[in-house]
Amino acid sequence: MDNITTNTAKTMTILLVDDDRGILFTLQKLIEKIFPDLEIIKATDGKMGLEMMEKHQPSIILSDYNMPIMNGIQFLTRVRADKSNDNIYFIMITANTETENRRNAMQIGADEFLSKPIITEVLEARLRSAFRIISMQKQLKDENTQLHNLTQELEDTIQDMAKLSVKFMHARIPTSYQTLQRVANASTWIAEQFQFSKNEIRDIELAAYLSQAGRFSLPDSLINKPVLVDGNPSSELMYSLPAATRDIVATIRTFDNIGNILFSLYENIDGSGFPSHLRAWQIPFASRIIRVCLDYEELCLYQKHTPFEALEVVKKQSQKAYDHRVVVLFENYLKSHNKNFITNDYPVRLADLKSGMILSRDIITDKGHKLLSAGALLNSSIIQKIIAHASSDPILGNIYIKK
């Protein structure tokens, strides 16, 4: 016996299923003689086979086709119905004349067939083949797991390097790491509400942390200046920031998408932004999200606005500079995560609205319509109108109710 087969057999369990106890006994003795290290369990019908399979998790099933209570094809169907059993190697025992049965079994998921009467040499060959296939599948699974872990470690390392570089940037750029961390946290939360993928959210987080990298290109006299004042660049040199930021970030090849996000950071929804005067549908959604969160922080940091003043400035620019959907969700984020805004309310689903509830925040739809203002008292008629409108124009974020 080769080493692969020997080592594989030591770690495996085989389930034998046949209603003929004499055949079960014969199969057991044959297998014990050929593969003494292979653990053997038995069942006399398909129903019992399922119970034994769930209890012992065998690597191989050797089952007769014709059995009472639950025959082989029914048993195989139940086994393959559960995706967690995909790695079980299933050998069906049939007579040589049962070609139709073999065809059915193959379509459902049988891996191999064993003909009656059972010949020792053929049984040994089928099991050796099963051992090799299972061993290769396990090796492939282990390698894929290792590759996934290495990929995750690499991504984590890249993120850590990016965050570390931001801390180094702080030595020259006054925008603190904590500020950019707030931008990243708010941006990723908003992205989650729009159901961005895991990779997209990762790029948004990194882009938020690196959003000020282009400031390295500015002279010292502009380092403490905001990029925008009243929606316009505070200096002609600010027009160079998108390209400078993209060029710095693009030095890491895997950051191409992040560079594109940052290049469009200062585009406005109405087309008045820079550097390319893109309009709403042309601006990457990730850029729109980060822009709102970053501008709010810069209003507080550079222009000394209070948090409430900064939010009002952002809201006034909605649908001119900003995507109104992002602004609505950003306000919801602040009122749930920022100590300056946290309100005494709770979110409810549309289906859970009840008469007597009082809104604590405006209800805004995807198209920018304000259905109701904060403070509105809900009744059955109003609730039905909200539900009817939401069927064609979804509500942004959650609905918040006063406690």
Side-chain angles (χ1 to χ4, degrees):
M1 191 186 304
D2 59 78
N3 290 334
I4 293 178
T5 302
T6 302
N7 295 331
T8 303
K10 289 179 179 179
T11 62
M12 288 191 186
T13 300
I14 184 170
L15 170 62
L16 309 179
V17 187
D18 199 308
D19 62 306
D20 189 323
R21 295 182 183 275
I23 292 178
L24 269 183
F25 179 79
T26 301
L27 279 172
Q28 180 181 356
K29 291 304 176 184
L30 285 174
I31 293 172
E32 285 176 345
K33 183 177 180 181
I34 305 169
F35 305 108
D37 294 319
L38 185 61
E39 182 182 355
I40 301 172
I41 53 177
K42 297 176 291 183
T44 54
D45 60 66
K47 184 177 180 182
M48 183 180 177
L50 286 175
E51 295 172 356
M52 298 299 286
M53 181 191 70
E54 291 176 3
K55 182 178 180 181
H56 296 279
Q57 297 296 306
S59 301
I60 304 171
I61 294 177
L62 187 60
S63 173
D64 189 25
Y65 189 98
N66 296 304
M67 296 182 293
I69 303 178
M70 180 185 290
N71 64 31
I73 202 73
Q74 293 169 327
F75 177 44
L76 173 60
T77 301
R78 292 285 297 276
V79 171
R80 292 305 187 216
D82 187 342
K83 291 296 182 182
S84 65
N85 298 326
D86 283 353
N87 290 330
I88 294 178
Y89 197 89
F90 199 107
I91 303 175
M92 186 75 79
I93 303 174
T94 64
N96 276 325
T97 56
E98 296 176 334
T99 55
E100 184 65 28
N101 291 346
R102 289 190 176 210
R103 188 178 298 111
N104 291 339
M106 183 177 292
Q107 290 174 346
I108 294 171
D111 296 292
E112 188 57 272
F113 298 93
L114 194 62
S115 298
K116 294 180 180 178
I118 296 172
I119 301 171
T120 303
E121 290 77 8
V122 176
L123 171 62
E124 181 178 356
R126 295 290 187 273
L127 291 179
R128 285 184 183 279
S129 176
F131 292 150
R132 284 193 172 87
I133 290 173
I134 293 170
S135 179
M136 287 188 291
Q137 287 176 335
K138 183 179 183 304
Q139 182 179 356
L140 181 61
K141 183 178 180 181
D142 290 344
E143 289 174 352
N144 284 338
T145 299
Q146 290 178 359
L147 180 61
H148 173 76
N149 290 340
L150 287 171
T151 301
Q152 187 61 52
E153 287 179 14
L154 179 60
E155 289 184 357
D156 291 343
T157 299
I158 289 173
Q159 282 193 312
D160 289 343
M161 288 174 61
K163 292 175 184 179
L164 181 61
S165 68
V166 173
K167 290 183 177 180
F168 280 121
M169 285 165 48
H170 181 49
R172 182 169 187 267
I173 301 173
T175 305
S176 70
Y177 176 81
Q178 289 73 24
T179 298
L180 293 176
Q181 189 173 47
R182 290 195 295 271
V183 175
N185 290 342
S187 298
T188 54
W189 184 88
I190 294 170
E192 288 169 357
Q193 310 315 302
F194 285 111
Q195 299 183 330
F196 278 52
S197 71
K198 181 180 177 181
N199 287 339
E200 289 172 328
I201 291 174
R202 179 206 62 193
D203 285 354
I204 287 174
E205 181 183 21
L206 287 175
Y209 275 112
L210 295 169
S211 59
Q212 298 300 286
R215 282 180 174 267
F216 272 115
S217 65
L218 296 175
D220 290 343
S221 60
L222 294 179
I223 285 294
N224 292 314
K225 300 292 185 182
V227 176
L228 303 172
V229 175
D230 296 330
N232 299 308
S234 60
S235 165
E236 287 294 318
L237 289 177
M238 295 300 179
Y239 284 107
S240 67
L241 278 184
T245 304
R246 182 181 61 182
D247 291 345
I248 291 172
V249 172
T251 57
I252 302 176
R253 188 172 57 182
T254 57
F255 282 7
D256 285 346
N257 184 51
I258 294 171
N260 292 332
I261 291 172
L262 296 177
F263 185 69
S264 301
L265 197 59
Y266 294 104
E267 300 289 355
N268 292 333
I269 292 297
D270 64 0
S272 63
F274 64 93
S276 304
H277 302 291
L278 302 180
R279 296 189 67 84
W281 65 91
Q282 300 170 307
I283 305 171
F285 210 160
S287 305
R288 299 181 230 170
I289 292 174
I290 297 172
R291 169 70 181 284
V292 170
C293 304
L294 181 63
D295 277 9
Y296 166 83
E297 290 292 342
E298 291 202 347
L299 284 166
C300 295
L301 179 66
Y302 294 116
Q303 300 187 49
K304 308 305 179 184
H305 285 295
T306 67
F308 294 97
E309 291 170 344
L311 178 60
E312 287 305 310
V313 171
V314 169
K315 289 169 69 173
K316 287 178 181 178
Q317 292 295 315
S318 183
Q319 294 185 316
K320 179 182 184 299
Y322 312 126
D323 187 317
H324 77 278
R325 295 169 295 176
V326 176
V327 174
V328 170
L329 290 175
F330 179 64
E331 182 176 10
N332 281 344
Y333 173 82
L334 289 177
K335 290 182 177 179
S336 301
H337 296 80
N338 188 306
K339 64 181 181 180
N340 295 301
F341 292 94
I342 290 178
T343 54
N344 189 28
D345 57 12
Y346 62 97
V348 298
R349 298 179 303 173
L350 189 62
D352 295 330
L353 292 177
K354 296 178 181 178
S355 295
M357 288 180 169
I358 300 175
L359 293 179
S360 63
R361 310 182 193 180
D362 297 343
I363 295 181
I364 309 294
T365 70
D366 188 72
K367 294 180 180 177
H369 298 129
K370 182 191 286 189
L371 294 187
L372 283 173
S373 298
L377 176 65
L378 300 183
N379 58 42
S380 58
S381 175
I382 291 174
I383 293 171
Q384 289 305 313
K385 289 179 181 178
I386 294 172
I387 294 173
H389 190 100
S391 64
S392 58
D393 185 12
I395 292 169
L396 282 174
N398 294 310
I399 296 173
Y400 288 85
I401 301 299
K402 288 185 178 180
K403 290 183 179 180

